[in-house]
Amino acid sequence: MERWFEEAQLHVIELPISWQAGRLCYSAFIRELPMLQAEGGSRKDVYRQLAEAYQIYWEKHQQTEEEEMTSSLLSLDELLKYYDGEAFDGFDISMDE
């Protein structure tokens, strides 16, 4: 599992093992994405949770990228058809002819 993170060029930061409710608690996060954190009873569980969290994050990020690219693939006429009279970022028609 650790090799998978290395291949994806991600670095897992393991926090010190703690003792909670009479059990060992392992915790870690991905250095490049600190909001992706995991906690579990074993290192294997922690790495599995991080991999699952990263997969969900990556899928959401890919969907957002695809949505952003859709409008850039439209022609001027298609853009005006969908955005009739509405101004949006990244698009400016110059009427100086």
Side-chain angles (χ1 to χ4, degrees), residues 1 4-5 8 10 30 33 36-37 46-63:
M1 184 65 75
W4 181 86
F5 286 101
L10 297 172
I30 298 175
L33 301 164
L36 300 182
Q37 303 173 2
V46 169
Y47 276 83
R48 181 185 48 76
Q49 289 176 27
L50 285 175
E52 290 171 359
Y54 180 73
Q55 183 176 1
I56 292 168
Y57 169 81
W58 187 80
E59 288 172 359
K60 286 182 180 181
H61 182 70
Q62 288 300 102
Q63 289 174 353

Side-chain angles (χ1 to χ4, degrees), residues 15-27 39-41:
L15 300 174
I17 300 169
S18 61
W19 189 262
Q20 294 179 356
R23 299 180 66 191
L24 287 177
C25 182
Y26 294 82
S27 54
E39 193 173 277

Side-chain angles (χ1 to χ4, degrees), residues 31-96:
R31 182 172 57 178
E32 292 79 8
L33 301 164
M35 68 279 205
L36 300 182
Q37 303 173 2
E39 193 173 277
S42 70
R43 288 182 73 221
K44 186 177 180 179
D45 287 342
V46 169
Y47 276 83
R48 181 185 48 76
Q49 289 176 27
L50 285 175
E52 290 171 359
Y54 180 73
Q55 183 176 1
I56 292 168
Y57 169 81
W58 187 80
E59 288 172 359
K60 286 182 180 181
H61 182 70
Q62 288 300 102
Q63 289 174 353
T64 304
E65 238 178 58
E66 288 174 12
E67 290 172 3
E68 289 174 0
M69 288 183 58
T70 304
S71 64
S72 66
L73 298 175
L74 300 175
S75 69
L76 178 60
D77 292 333
E78 291 170 327
L79 279 172
L80 292 176
K81 176 181 174 185
Y82 292 110
Y83 299 102
D84 189 26
E86 184 179 328
F88 58 96
D89 291 344
F91 184 73
D92 184 29
I93 297 179
S94 177
M95 298 296 194
D96 300 333

